[in-house]
Amino acid sequence: QVQLVESGGGLVQAGDSLQLSCAVSGRTISSYLMGWFRQAPGKEREFVATINWRGGSTTYADSVKGRFTISRDNAKNSVYLQMNSLKPEDTAVYYCATGVRPFSKSTSDPAQYGYWGQGTEVTVSS
């Protein structure tokens, strides 16, 4: 059974930084696309960032480009999201997800992600 567990969320002030972690069990992630999504109160889930299975290609939503960095450590079977210069509009529950099929291309389409974590809450105060 594939499980993803996010951690690292919390309450911070605007301009602060946080690093989210996602530990995966039940699957070796080295062959799989990994991504981060978020869902703000009253809004639909949206794409944040993705990293391909090789780790050499990353894609970001325009709203976080230049502030967030996704990375992966295949030896630890984990993926991370470093969030800098946080803004109140970054307030959301953040979810990590792993691709449906191995060796798939980077994508922001949530339908291409087969397993999801339960989320970690990030609140940014102004």
Side-chain angles (χ1 to χ4, degrees):
Q1 182 179 0
V2 180
Q3 291 188 318
L4 293 82
V5 179
E6 302 95 336
S7 61
L11 172 63
V12 297
Q13 293 187 329
D16 285 352
S17 298
L18 274 179
Q19 185 182 59
L20 305 184
S21 300
C22 174
V24 183
S25 60
R27 165 183 282 187
T28 301
I29 70 168
S30 57
S31 301
Y32 291 88
L33 175 71
M34 298 296 299
W36 285 94
F37 292 76
R38 67 186 182 186
Q39 187 167 17
K43 295 187 177 181
E44 294 188 352
R45 190 173 298 189
E46 65 174 2
F47 166 74
V48 175
T50 184
I51 185 167
N52 74 340
W53 64 275
R54 291 180 182 271
S57 175
T58 56
T59 305
Y60 298 92
D62 288 343
S63 58
V64 307
K65 203 172 293 183
R67 300 187 298 121
F68 290 12
T69 303
I70 186 171
S71 62
R72 63 192 297 157
D73 186 338
N74 290 337
K76 294 183 178 180
N77 225 40
S78 295
V79 64
Y80 307 95
L81 186 68
Q82 177 66 41
M83 306 186 295
N84 298 329
S85 302
L86 282 161
K87 304 175 180 180
E89 50 264 43
D90 295 319
T91 294
V93 177
Y94 284 72
Y95 301 89
C96 69
T98 179
V100 173
R101 289 173 293 276
F103 313 118
S104 56
K105 294 180 180 180
S106 295
T107 179
S108 60
D109 181 4
Q112 300 305 314
Y113 293 82
Y115 297 94
W116 297 76
Q118 292 300 305
T120 185
E121 189 168 2
V122 174
T123 303
V124 184
S125 63
S126 57

